[in-house]
Amino acid sequence: SLRNAILVRRFDQIDRIAGRRQCRCGEALVMRGEDSREIESRRYRVVVLHCPECERDQKVYFDVTRVFH
């Protein structure tokens, strides 16, 4: 959720963190898409990861506010 967003200082950290995520079934997740959100003075990147094995999607939230400051 946004309350538990992962704080990053550079955008390349998102790719590294997302690339290491695994599904509950144990399969490696692949990036399906991403979106940006701005709430008050905070900026977020939302990455959608997909499991090719069990077809589950998972959203991972990143706080990218420091990238812009």
Side-chain angles (χ1 to χ4, degrees), residues 54-67:
C54 67
E55 302 292 320
R56 285 189 181 111
D57 284 340
Q58 181 183 108
K59 290 183 180 178
V60 182
Y61 298 87
F62 295 91
D63 184 333
V64 295
T65 305
R66 290 189 178 177
V67 174

Side-chain angles (χ1 to χ4, degrees), residues 33-63:
E34 59 185 284
D35 191 19
S36 297
R37 295 187 188 168
E38 188 169 345
I39 301 174
E40 296 178 12
S41 63
R42 310 295 303 175
R43 291 183 178 195
Y44 300 93
R45 182 68 48 103
V46 183
V47 175
V48 179
L49 300 173
H50 178 74
C51 178
E53 181 64 30
C54 67
E55 302 292 320
R56 285 189 181 111
D57 284 340
Q58 181 183 108
K59 290 183 180 178
V60 182
Y61 298 87
F62 295 91
D63 184 333

